[in-house]
Amino acid sequence: MASERQARLGDRIRVILAERLEKGLRDPRLGFVTITDVRVTGDLQHASVFYTVLGSEDERLASGEALKSATGMLRSEVGKHLNVRLTPTLEFIPDALPENAGHIEDLLREARERDAVVAGLASTAAYAGDADPYVKPRELEDDED
């Protein structure tokens, strides 16, 4: 569980990096990058920056290399805007969010198809015995009279 200070620092780093990437880097390999999350360790010395890239697999790899090569410059940019004694090191990690979302979407589509098949079978199904095989107390009283 992250402390409040870790969460605030992570949010601030995310905003600083997003603003800097919006201005652009001088690296042509950098594509359309979105910073999705920043997690800071308990001692505030290391920040894991999760990002996604819109585009093909080659563009994702090239953007990852561009971010890795610009890590020093981005860390100094973060250090300028933070009021902390030590600037945390940055580690850029590609976020698996789009792949996970695609997988979940495929699973939901498969579940809908199976539900449709079951609903089709249920519409033509008939009971094996009586519709309600349980004897109700009221029916027992009627039978005794």
Side-chain angles (χ1 to χ4, degrees), residues 69-104:
S69 67
T71 300
M73 187 274 301
L74 292 171
R75 183 176 180 217
S76 66
E77 186 79 19
V78 167
K80 289 178 192 175
H81 292 87
L82 289 180
N83 294 327
V84 293
R85 187 170 54 92
L86 297 171
T87 303
T89 59
L90 301 177
E91 178 187 11
F92 290 94
I93 302 170
D95 199 349
L97 185 69
E99 291 83 17
N100 290 343
H103 179 66
I104 290 172

Side-chain angles (χ1 to χ4, degrees), residues 127-136 139:
Y127 291 106
D130 292 334
D132 188 7
Y134 299 105
V135 178
K136 296 184 177 43
E139 292 174 0

Side-chain angles (χ1 to χ4, degrees), residues 4 8 10 17 28-29 35 50 59 62 71 83 99 103 110 113 115 119 125 131 135 140:
E4 185 178 337
R8 279 186 311 191
L17 290 175
R29 299 176 293 178
I35 304 296
F50 295 91
E59 291 172 334
T71 300
N83 294 327
E99 291 83 17
H103 179 66
E110 182 180 338
E113 291 169 358
D115 285 347
V135 178
L140 286 175

Side-chain angles (χ1 to χ4, degrees), residues 25-94:
L25 297 177
R26 291 188 182 140
D27 196 333
R29 299 176 293 178
L30 189 67
F32 187 72
V33 176
T34 302
I35 304 296
T36 56
D37 192 20
V38 176
R39 295 189 186 146
V40 181
T41 58
D43 60 358
L44 309 177
Q45 297 293 311
H46 181 76
S48 298
V49 181
F50 295 91
Y51 68 94
T52 59
V53 179
L54 185 66
S56 67
E57 186 64 30
D58 293 336
E59 291 172 334
R60 289 185 192 130
L61 292 173
S63 293
E65 290 299 319
L67 287 172
K68 191 174 285 190
S69 67
T71 300
M73 187 274 301
L74 292 171
R75 183 176 180 217
S76 66
E77 186 79 19
V78 167
K80 289 178 192 175
H81 292 87
L82 289 180
N83 294 327
V84 293
R85 187 170 54 92
L86 297 171
T87 303
T89 59
L90 301 177
E91 178 187 11
F92 290 94
I93 302 170

